[in-house]
Amino acid sequence: TLIDALARTPDRLATLVAGLDEGALNVAPDGEWSTRTVLAHIRDDEFLVMRVRLARTLAEEHPVLTPFDERAWADARWRDRDGLAELLEDIRLQREASVAIVRRLPAAAWHRVATQPEIGTFTLQWWVEHWVEHDVNHLEQIAALLGRAVPD
């Protein structure tokens, strides 16, 4: 299910980066994010974007959601918990909080709508599907950076 896919992402990430040293997290082609930055993005995006949009769509009638400037985030992001173990721990903690909300959604909630100018109008069902796709995209991005396969 979608919820199970969301819940599995922290384990999949931990498997994907298992055995890496801290220096390997910083390797990236010019102009691309490193594994460390991608992991930080997944952590921060969870509570700054994904869960906020979920909560607003549940609490408000047809909210208009603010776009997220990833470039500005990457330039100014919080770097105090950037060690591999910390990033994985924070991703797991944030995802557990999100999954706890999604698991409790009543059937009618999946049809609630929101609008984001860059995306358009969407249902909560679509948002959670997008969330899973976002995870897959970043798992594939990290796998490509590391020359590893995406774990199941």
Side-chain angles (χ1 to χ4, degrees):
T1 68
L2 287 173
I3 299 169
D4 293 336
L6 283 176
R8 279 194 316 271
T9 296
D11 288 338
R12 294 176 77 196
L13 286 166
T15 300
L16 182 57
V17 300
L20 287 182
D21 63 42
E22 292 291 330
L25 295 176
N26 299 322
V27 176
D30 286 343
E32 293 187 29
W33 286 355
S34 67
T35 297
R36 186 181 312 279
T37 301
V38 176
L39 290 170
H41 166 73
I42 294 167
R43 175 199 59 206
D44 293 358
D45 201 58
E46 188 78 12
F47 67 87
L48 293 173
V49 180
M50 300 305 203
R51 200 163 57 241
V52 168
R53 290 181 180 173
L54 171 70
R56 289 197 56 206
T57 303
L58 289 169
E60 300 173 30
E61 288 302 319
H62 203 128
V64 176
L65 307 170
T66 305
F68 183 70
D69 185 341
E70 290 183 349
R71 287 192 180 115
W73 167 85
D75 290 341
R77 73 180 185 81
W78 180 55
R79 289 176 166 79
D80 287 347
R81 286 187 56 86
D82 260 10
L84 180 57
E86 294 167 326
L87 287 164
L88 293 173
E89 178 184 333
D90 290 352
I91 289 167
R92 183 173 307 282
L93 177 69
Q94 292 300 329
R95 183 53 58 92
E96 286 173 355
S98 299
V99 168
I101 296 166
V102 176
R103 284 196 193 283
R104 290 174 175 82
L105 292 178
W110 292 91
H111 303 287
R112 293 186 62 83
V113 296
T115 299
Q116 199 268 17
E118 296 171 340
I119 298 171
T121 298
F122 55 86
T123 65
L124 202 55
Q125 171 77 32
W126 182 91
W127 182 246
V128 176
E129 290 169 359
H130 169 75
W131 202 336
V132 171
E133 290 172 16
H134 180 263
D135 285 356
V136 170
N137 290 340
H138 287 307
L139 282 159
E140 290 173 349
Q141 181 182 14
I142 292 170
L145 284 166
L146 300 176
R148 295 180 173 187
V150 175
D152 291 331

